[in-house]
Amino acid sequence: MNNNVTFQSYPLQIQNAVQEMNKVFDTPKKRAFAANKARIHLQTRSNAYSEAYAQLLKSLGLTSRVQDEYTQKLVAFYFHAKQHAYFNGKSMLEDFNNNGKLSHFFTSYR
C-alpha cells in the first residue's frame, strides 16, 4: 500500500461504496464482529476497497495508522453479506444492520 495515497485519491465509486460500508460498521463492536466472522469464514485479500477503507478510517481518527488487513475482513464481510448470503429471502447484511449481529449461524446463510 502506498503511504502517499489519501482516501480522496480513490475513484468516486470506491469512495461512495466505502462510505456506505462505514455506515454499516458504525461502531467498534460491529466492526469487531464482522471482522471476526470474516476471519473465520471468508477469504480476504487486499484491493482498492480495503485500501480506501483503511485510509478512510485513518482520516476519521478511528485508528492512528492504515490497517489494510483489518479492512480486508470488513470489505469481505460486507460484499459477502450483501451479495451472496441469504436466509429466507433476507440478506445477511440486512440481518446485520438490524442490531450488529446475525439472527442465524453464519453458515445458515446461502
Side-chain angles (χ1 to χ4, degrees):
M1 175 182 270
N2 183 344
N3 288 333
N4 295 327
V5 175
T6 65
F7 176 70
Q8 290 77 20
S9 62
Y10 287 91
L12 191 56
Q13 174 185 344
I14 292 175
Q15 289 182 39
N16 290 340
V18 166
Q19 288 173 333
E20 190 61 37
M21 287 177 210
N22 198 50
K23 289 178 187 174
V24 171
F25 305 124
D26 61 347
T27 66
K29 190 174 183 178
K30 286 181 180 180
R31 288 189 293 273
F33 179 88
N36 188 52
K37 291 298 181 187
R39 178 186 62 80
I40 294 168
H41 298 286
L42 302 172
Q43 290 184 346
T44 61
R45 63 181 171 81
S46 183
N47 59 36
Y49 292 95
S50 65
E51 292 172 6
Y53 198 6
Q55 293 290 347
L56 177 64
L57 291 178
K58 184 178 181 200
S59 73
L60 294 173
L62 298 175
T63 182
S64 60
R65 58 190 171 86
V66 174
Q67 298 178 337
D68 184 42
E69 183 180 345
Y70 180 62
T71 55
Q72 287 174 35
K73 292 172 180 63
L74 296 175
V75 168
F77 180 92
Y78 179 84
F79 283 120
H80 177 79
K82 182 178 181 180
Q83 299 171 348
H84 304 290
Y86 293 85
F87 189 93
N88 288 339
K90 190 174 184 180
S91 78
M92 182 187 286
L93 190 61
E94 290 174 287
D95 255 1
F96 180 80
N97 274 335
N98 287 335
N99 62 8
K101 295 183 180 179
L102 297 176
S103 303
H104 312 284
F105 290 111
F106 189 94
T107 54
S108 297
Y109 295 85
R110 301 277 174 223

